[in-house]
Amino acid sequence: MTEELRLHWALHEIDEQAVAREHLLAKHPEQRRTHDSRVAAARAALQALDQRVADSVKRRRVLDGEIAAFDAQQKRFEQQLLAVTNQHQFEAMQHEIAAVRSKRDVLETEALEKMDAEEREAAARPEKAQALERADADARATFARLDAEAAAARAELAALEARRGETEAQLPAATRTRYEKLRAGRAGRAVAAIENGACGGCHRGLPPAGLQEARRREKLLVCDGCGRLMLLPPA
């Protein structure tokens, strides 16, 4: 393998490691969003439960007031019933009392249903609160891990960048310029290894003559598919 090929292989290995770390960092935002969504969903579920309970309690207070008003109205009618002087008035008053009692019963039924629902919500709340705690704890642990991963990856990228600079400096200026242009336009991978008779970048197969030339390890090949520089891995 010539010195030029050796340097390009070294650059290939540096770039592959750098791309791997960049891919790792690129996944972090989605992982953070996933955990943020889980926490938000758990918090929203708990808040919705609390809001339902608060609305129910508020409604029961209104119902209690209306029930008390109907109780007072019924008592007035019952007092008035004692003063009626004929059957027609008696029946009319009984009808009024029955109507008031019926309306009160409907409200009392609703109030009981609200109380039952509040009891069910109260029983369900600990589980939802624990789900929020778990989601929050998982998110914090994941974020701490991602922060550590990111710090390590950025440090490694900085070291790789330094190594790349040192390696590039050994190339002729024109060769260095070609490499940089390719790396910028090929997602950080200017040099591809020939793997199983094909370009390791785009997987386009090489013709037999191209493979034979690659085996001589005398010069870089150019992929007809993606334009990357190609070479066989060192023996």
Side-chain angles (χ1 to χ4, degrees):
M1 178 178 282
T2 67
E3 179 64 9
E4 181 184 10
L5 265 62
R6 185 190 68 77
L7 291 172
H8 277 84
W9 182 257
L11 289 170
H12 162 75
E13 290 185 320
I14 291 169
D15 291 342
E16 289 297 317
Q17 294 176 59
V19 166
R21 282 151 183 78
E22 287 166 356
H23 284 174
L24 175 68
L25 290 172
K27 294 177 182 177
H28 284 189
E30 182 59 31
Q31 294 179 50
R32 289 179 182 276
R33 284 192 293 271
T34 296
H35 282 278
D36 283 338
S37 296
R38 289 174 183 170
V39 172
R43 181 174 289 110
L46 183 60
Q47 290 174 342
L49 183 151
D50 289 340
Q51 187 61 52
R52 289 194 299 271
V53 171
D55 291 343
S56 180
V57 170
K58 183 178 179 180
R59 174 59 181 164
R60 277 199 303 109
R61 288 173 182 163
V62 173
L63 291 171
D64 288 343
E66 293 176 350
I67 290 168
F70 280 129
D71 282 339
Q73 188 177 15
Q74 181 178 337
K75 289 177 181 178
R76 287 197 304 272
F77 285 156
E78 288 172 347
Q79 289 294 324
Q80 294 172 13
L81 185 63
L82 300 175
V84 298
T85 58
N86 59 60
Q87 184 65 27
H88 177 72
Q89 290 177 336
F90 181 83
E91 290 176 356
M93 191 59 64
Q94 287 281 46
H95 178 74
E96 293 290 346
I97 293 172
V100 170
R101 185 182 295 118
S102 177
K103 292 177 182 178
R104 185 193 62 200
D105 288 346
V106 170
L107 297 181
E108 287 179 340
T109 298
E110 184 182 351
L112 289 172
E113 289 174 348
K114 294 291 184 186
M115 290 180 67
D116 289 342
E118 289 166 28
E119 289 179 0
R120 290 194 298 272
E121 299 284 22
R125 194 183 192 284
E127 181 179 352
K128 291 189 180 297
Q130 289 171 7
L132 174 57
E133 290 176 2
R134 287 194 300 270
D136 193 49
D138 288 346
R140 288 197 305 272
T142 298
F143 293 165
R145 175 179 60 79
L146 293 177
D147 288 342
E149 278 185 4
R154 291 190 181 100
E156 291 164 356
L157 282 170
L160 290 167
E161 185 65 30
R163 283 176 53 197
R164 182 189 291 115
E166 293 171 358
T167 305
E168 277 189 87
Q170 300 176 58
L171 292 171
T175 304
R176 185 164 62 249
T177 299
R178 177 181 64 170
Y179 163 78
E180 282 294 347
K181 286 183 177 179
L182 281 172
R183 192 169 74 87
R186 300 296 186 280
R189 300 171 69 205
V191 184
I194 297 173
E195 301 170 348
N196 299 318
C199 170
C202 68
H203 309 295
R204 178 165 179 162
L206 274 71
L211 285 173
Q212 186 62 34
E213 188 173 8
R215 290 189 186 100
R216 287 197 288 270
R217 303 177 190 276
E218 294 176 350
K219 66 177 183 177
L220 291 164
L221 303 182
V222 178
C223 177
D224 292 334
C226 65
R228 289 184 174 90
L229 304 173
M230 296 185 301
L231 73 165
L232 284 169

